[in-house]
Amino acid sequence: MPDPADIRLSPRQIECLRLAAAGKTSIEIAATLGLSSRTVDQYVGEACERLKVRNRVQAVAKAVQLGLFSSSPP
């Protein structure tokens, strides 16, 4: 498993994944963060690429596994 320090996600990508982990849709995340849902999808997509997973569910699972959410709660 890669070292979490080697995974470079932006604070906004982590925030989007955190909210997705809480069951929020892209539209709900967008409303919470003051973004468009398309921008949220872009952040999540970039996080998927960096985490080397195929979708948001896998991205959330891997982020949890790597402890990327441990610094602050969703």
Side-chain angles (χ1 to χ4, degrees):
M1 179 178 357
D3 181 355
D6 294 337
I7 304 292
R8 304 267 186 231
L9 295 183
S10 72
R12 191 61 103 178
Q13 290 168 335
I14 292 171
E15 194 170 15
C16 287
L17 288 179
R18 231 186 240 125
L19 290 168
K24 304 286 186 197
T25 66
S26 291
I27 294 171
E28 293 167 331
I29 294 168
T32 300
L33 300 179
L35 304 170
S36 73
S37 62
R38 186 171 178 161
T39 300
V40 170
D41 290 339
Q42 184 176 357
Y43 283 130
V44 172
E46 290 168 357
C48 287
E49 287 178 23
R50 292 179 184 185
L51 292 169
K52 296 181 176 38
V53 296
R54 293 180 182 233
N55 58 50
R56 91 170 29 204
V57 173
Q58 291 176 346
V60 166
K62 190 157 187 182
V64 169
Q65 182 182 32
L66 294 172
L68 298 179
F69 300 155
S70 62
S71 60
S72 59

